[in-house]
PDB file of all heavy atoms in Angstrom:
ATOM      1  N   PHE B  30     118.371  70.198 141.507  1.00 94.00           N
ATOM      2  CA  PHE B  30     117.208  71.069 141.270  1.00 94.00           C
ATOM      3  C   PHE B  30     116.710  70.863 139.853  1.00 94.00           C
ATOM      4  O   PHE B  30     117.395  70.252 139.025  1.00 94.00           O
ATOM      5  CB  PHE B  30     117.541  72.546 141.531  1.00 94.00           C
ATOM      6  CG  PHE B  30     118.574  73.139 140.612  1.00 94.00           C
ATOM      7  CD1 PHE B  30     118.200  73.772 139.436  1.00 94.00           C
ATOM      8  CD2 PHE B  30     119.936  73.070 140.928  1.00 94.00           C
ATOM      9  CE1 PHE B  30     119.152  74.329 138.598  1.00 94.00           C
ATOM     10  CE2 PHE B  30     120.891  73.623 140.094  1.00 94.00           C
ATOM     11  CZ  PHE B  30     120.497  74.260 138.934  1.00 94.00           C
ATOM     12  N   ASP B  31     115.489  71.350 139.610  1.00 93.00           N
ATOM     13  CA  ASP B  31     114.914  71.275 138.260  1.00 93.00           C
ATOM     14  C   ASP B  31     114.637  72.679 137.756  1.00 93.00           C
ATOM     15  O   ASP B  31     114.478  73.601 138.539  1.00 93.00           O
ATOM     16  CB  ASP B  31     113.570  70.526 138.288  1.00 93.00           C
ATOM     17  CG  ASP B  31     113.764  69.047 138.546  1.00 93.00           C
ATOM     18  OD1 ASP B  31     114.834  68.529 138.179  1.00 93.00           O
ATOM     19  OD2 ASP B  31     112.852  68.433 139.118  1.00 93.00           O
ATOM     20  N   LEU B  32     114.573  72.801 136.455  1.00 93.00           N
ATOM     21  CA  LEU B  32     114.140  74.059 135.866  1.00 93.00           C
ATOM     22  C   LEU B  32     112.987  73.763 134.935  1.00 93.00           C
ATOM     23  O   LEU B  32     113.099  72.906 134.067  1.00 93.00           O
ATOM     24  CB  LEU B  32     115.299  74.668 135.068  1.00 93.00           C
ATOM     25  CG  LEU B  32     115.529  76.145 135.342  1.00 93.00           C
ATOM     26  CD1 LEU B  32     116.367  76.258 136.578  1.00 93.00           C
ATOM     27  CD2 LEU B  32     116.244  76.791 134.180  1.00 93.00           C
ATOM     28  N   LYS B  33     111.891  74.506 135.147  1.00 92.00           N
ATOM     29  CA  LYS B  33     110.746  74.368 134.241  1.00 92.00           C
ATOM     30  C   LYS B  33     111.035  75.119 132.962  1.00 92.00           C
ATOM     31  O   LYS B  33     111.785  76.085 132.957  1.00 92.00           O
ATOM     32  CB  LYS B  33     109.513  75.006 134.879  1.00 92.00           C
ATOM     33  CG  LYS B  33     108.821  74.199 135.913  1.00 92.00           C
ATOM     34  CD  LYS B  33     107.438  74.806 136.097  1.00 92.00           C
ATOM     35  CE  LYS B  33     106.900  74.676 137.467  1.00 92.00           C
ATOM     36  NZ  LYS B  33     107.204  75.415 138.556  1.00 92.00           N
ATOM     37  N   LYS B  34     110.376  74.696 131.910  1.00 92.00           N
ATOM     38  CA  LYS B  34     110.474  75.451 130.673  1.00 92.00           C
ATOM     39  C   LYS B  34     109.927  76.860 130.924  1.00 92.00           C
ATOM     40  O   LYS B  34     108.940  77.029 131.622  1.00 92.00           O
ATOM     41  CB  LYS B  34     109.636  74.752 129.585  1.00 92.00           C
ATOM     42  CG  LYS B  34     109.830  75.366 128.228  1.00 92.00           C
ATOM     43  CD  LYS B  34     109.145  74.564 127.149  1.00 92.00           C
ATOM     44  CE  LYS B  34     109.449  75.136 125.776  1.00 92.00           C
ATOM     45  NZ  LYS B  34     109.038  76.517 125.583  1.00 92.00           N
ATOM     46  N   ASN B  35     110.621  77.848 130.374  1.00 92.00           N
ATOM     47  CA  ASN B  35     110.177  79.239 130.460  1.00 92.00           C
ATOM     48  C   ASN B  35     110.311  79.862 131.844  1.00 92.00           C
ATOM     49  O   ASN B  35     109.674  80.867 132.125  1.00 92.00           O
ATOM     50  CB  ASN B  35     108.732  79.362 130.003  1.00 92.00           C
ATOM     51  CG  ASN B  35     108.641  80.202 128.759  1.00 92.00           C
ATOM     52  OD1 ASN B  35     109.670  80.579 128.205  1.00 92.00           O
ATOM     53  ND2 ASN B  35     107.452  80.488 128.319  1.00 92.00           N
ATOM     54  N   GLU B  36     111.089  79.262 132.679  1.00 94.00           N
ATOM     55  CA  GLU B  36     111.256  79.783 134.027  1.00 94.00           C
ATOM     56  C   GLU B  36     112.516  80.644 134.082  1.00 94.00           C
ATOM     57  O   GLU B  36     113.451  80.435 133.320  1.00 94.00           O
ATOM     58  CB  GLU B  36     111.399  78.600 134.985  1.00 94.00           C
ATOM     59  CG  GLU B  36     111.259  78.950 136.431  1.00 94.00           C
ATOM     60  CD  GLU B  36     111.309  77.710 137.320  1.00 94.00           C
ATOM     61  OE1 GLU B  36     111.941  76.713 136.927  1.00 94.00           O
ATOM     62  OE2 GLU B  36     110.726  77.761 138.402  1.00 94.00           O
ATOM     63  N   ILE B  37     112.528  81.604 134.996  1.00 96.00           N
ATOM     64  CA  ILE B  37     113.770  82.319 135.292  1.00 96.00           C
ATOM     65  C   ILE B  37     114.210  81.915 136.693  1.00 96.00           C
ATOM     66  O   ILE B  37     113.500  82.181 137.666  1.00 96.00           O
ATOM     67  CB  ILE B  37     113.590  83.848 135.209  1.00 96.00           C
ATOM     68  CG1 ILE B  37     113.180  84.270 133.798  1.00 96.00           C
ATOM     69  CG2 ILE B  37     114.891  84.548 135.614  1.00 96.00           C
ATOM     70  CD1 ILE B  37     112.953  85.771 133.638  1.00 96.00           C
ATOM     71  N   LEU B  38     115.321  81.249 136.776  1.00 96.00           N
ATOM     72  CA  LEU B  38     115.829  80.779 138.063  1.00 96.00           C
ATOM     73  C   LEU B  38     117.143  81.496 138.368  1.00 96.00           C
ATOM     74  O   LEU B  38     118.017  81.572 137.512  1.00 96.00           O
ATOM     75  CB  LEU B  38     116.074  79.272 138.019  1.00 96.00           C
ATOM     76  CG  LEU B  38     116.664  78.651 139.291  1.00 96.00           C
ATOM     77  CD1 LEU B  38     115.593  78.484 140.361  1.00 96.00           C
ATOM     78  CD2 LEU B  38     117.304  77.307 139.000  1.00 96.00           C
ATOM     79  N   ALA B  39     117.242  82.029 139.573  1.00 95.00           N
ATOM     80  CA  ALA B  39     118.481  82.693 139.963  1.00 95.00           C
ATOM     81  C   ALA B  39     119.217  81.851 140.976  1.00 95.00           C
ATOM     82  O   ALA B  39     118.617  81.248 141.865  1.00 95.00           O
ATOM     83  CB  ALA B  39     118.182  84.069 140.541  1.00 95.00           C
ATOM     84  N   LEU B  40     120.526  81.809 140.796  1.00 94.00           N
ATOM     85  CA  LEU B  40     121.402  81.096 141.718  1.00 94.00           C
ATOM     86  C   LEU B  40     122.144  82.174 142.497  1.00 94.00           C
ATOM     87  O   LEU B  40     122.874  82.968 141.914  1.00 94.00           O
ATOM     88  CB  LEU B  40     122.374  80.274 140.880  1.00 94.00           C
ATOM     89  CG  LEU B  40     122.963  78.985 141.414  1.00 94.00           C
ATOM     90  CD1 LEU B  40     121.867  78.040 141.811  1.00 94.00           C
ATOM     91  CD2 LEU B  40     123.836  78.358 140.335  1.00 94.00           C
TER      92      LEU B  40
END
Side-chain angles (χ1 to χ4, degrees):
Chain B
F30 64 91
D31 289 332
L32 227 83
K33 281 197 211 79
K34 188 173 185 301
N35 244 6
E36 194 176 28
I37 298 179
L38 178 78
L40 209 56

